[in-house]
Amino acid sequence: FGSRCSNLQSSHPHTVHTSAPFVKLRAMPSAEKLAKKQKYFDKLVDLCVNTPNALIICADFVASKQMQDIRMELRGKAQVLMGKNTMIRKALEMGHAIHPDAGMDVLRSNIRGNIGFIFATNCQLDDIRETLGKHVRSPQRNDAST
């Protein structure tokens, strides 16, 4: 087998033959990125444990301007928290290990799709629902005849 490889290498000067498949090496995340993730994890767990009222929202087809307007209107009343599902799941898993009675395992099993949380810090859930209702747009129609 060794002589066969040497023959292949000598057949073309610019070709390198290896027996191992191509593997992309991933660099470890920087300390700054790890600190940022840990801050997010701590924030989510703290809000889940210390804020009893929250809504899980679906953010499909929501424009960034809509999210900005909702955040601005809820400022001081509630906290909007979005994130990647893998980070949310990991934070809830870590939080469940620390606070097993908080129900984060049930919450973790329902993390699917483009979701976020709105934690009611200084208002009622009905106030948040009313604010969200103001910013919901009707679906656009693509009918050329109308």
Side-chain angles (χ1 to χ4, degrees), residues 28-112:
M28 288 295 295
S30 66
E32 181 181 329
K33 188 174 265 192
L34 290 173
K36 187 177 177 182
K37 285 183 178 184
Q38 188 60 47
K39 185 178 175 184
Y40 178 84
F41 294 159
D42 294 342
K43 184 177 188 176
L44 179 59
V45 170
D46 179 58
L47 286 169
C48 285
V49 171
N50 297 323
T51 309
N53 296 326
L55 292 175
I56 299 176
I57 57 168
C58 176
D60 287 338
F61 308 110
V62 178
S64 59
K65 176 68 171 142
Q66 282 177 285
M67 286 300 297
Q68 178 186 6
D69 292 343
I70 291 168
R71 284 180 192 269
M72 285 176 32
E73 194 165 333
L74 291 175
R75 194 171 288 157
K77 299 184 221 172
Q79 188 144 7
V80 179
L81 189 65
M82 305 295 286
K84 291 183 166 276
N85 286 355
T86 53
M87 285 183 55
I88 293 171
R89 284 189 196 110
K90 185 171 182 178
L92 292 174
E93 181 181 345
M94 291 167 44
H96 178 66
I98 298 168
H99 307 281
D101 56 338
M104 289 186 232
D105 55 335
V106 176
L107 190 57
R108 182 179 181 269
S109 65
N110 292 307
I111 303 298
R112 286 185 189 81

